[in-house]
Amino acid sequence: MADSRMTVYLQPKVYRALKVKSATTDRSVSELVNAAVIEALREDAIDLDAFDKRSKESTRPFEQVLKDLKRDGLL
């Protein structure tokens, strides 16, 4: 599959920082952007996995948490 092209608009300071990082790491801007997107997607996958694993855990209403903190003198 061929690489896809797209236009991304970055804030000028972000773009300058990306260009500096590209120059100092000998990696292209495309490589850096791809790596950042892949990492963000990986983090999302980890979060979804954790959510699935914890979805069957019992929950406590926030109001009860506050009540317990007050009872224990922490609030």
Side-chain angles (χ1 to χ4, degrees):
M1 179 177 184
D3 291 344
S4 298
R5 290 177 162 257
M6 67 181 301
T7 300
V8 176
Y9 296 95
L10 301 172
Q11 296 172 8
K13 289 181 181 181
V14 172
Y15 181 68
R16 281 193 295 276
L18 188 58
K19 292 289 284 185
V20 169
K21 184 167 184 168
S22 173
T24 59
T25 61
D26 286 329
R27 296 174 71 191
S28 70
V29 169
S30 292
E31 288 175 304
L32 294 172
V33 171
N34 271 293
V37 170
I38 289 168
E39 183 58 29
L41 294 171
R42 183 177 290 119
E43 289 175 5
D44 289 346
I46 291 168
D47 290 346
L48 289 171
D49 187 46
F51 180 78
D52 286 343
K53 287 179 182 176
R54 298 191 70 187
S55 66
K56 295 185 179 41
E57 291 181 7
S58 62
T59 60
R60 289 177 60 197
F62 185 65
E63 293 80 6
Q64 184 62 47
V65 173
L66 291 176
K67 182 178 175 184
D68 293 345
L69 289 171
K70 287 178 183 177
R71 179 197 64 219
D72 296 340
L74 297 170
L75 287 182

